[in-house]
Amino acid sequence: MGITGFVLGLVSLIFVWIPYIGLIGAVLGIIFSAVGMRAQTGGKGLAIAGLVLSIITATISLCVWGSLFSIPVLFSALLAHL
């Protein structure tokens, strides 16, 4: 599970610019990494790395898409003052 979380975190970081793919991959990476950290088998280091990558990806994804959705609001406010 830890390896799966790491791979999902890495792939979602690469595809963070595609709508919803980065965020969905990050959420799945967080879930699999958390399960992998609880497991008694090896791979805890990869589970921790996957958790960190997934949290970073989720943060970037929310910031990028939040700013993209706020651009029309900013432009409409700017045009209203002209």
Side-chain angles (χ1 to χ4, degrees):
M1 289 290 186
I3 296 171
T4 305
F6 176 73
V7 170
L8 280 170
L10 190 61
V11 169
S12 64
L13 184 62
I14 293 169
F15 293 114
V16 72
W17 55 275
I18 298 176
Y20 305 111
I21 298 296
L23 188 60
I24 291 171
V27 170
L28 289 174
I30 290 171
I31 292 169
F32 280 111
S33 295
V35 171
M37 286 176 60
R38 290 181 181 244
Q40 297 296 327
T41 60
K44 283 192 176 190
L46 285 175
I48 293 170
L51 187 65
V52 169
L53 280 174
S54 298
I55 290 172
I56 290 171
T57 302
T59 304
I60 291 171
S61 181
L62 289 174
C63 289
V64 166
W65 292 109
S67 65
L68 285 178
F69 288 128
S70 68
I71 287 174
V73 174
L74 293 174
F75 278 126
S76 65
L78 179 67
L79 291 176
H81 290 295
L82 294 178

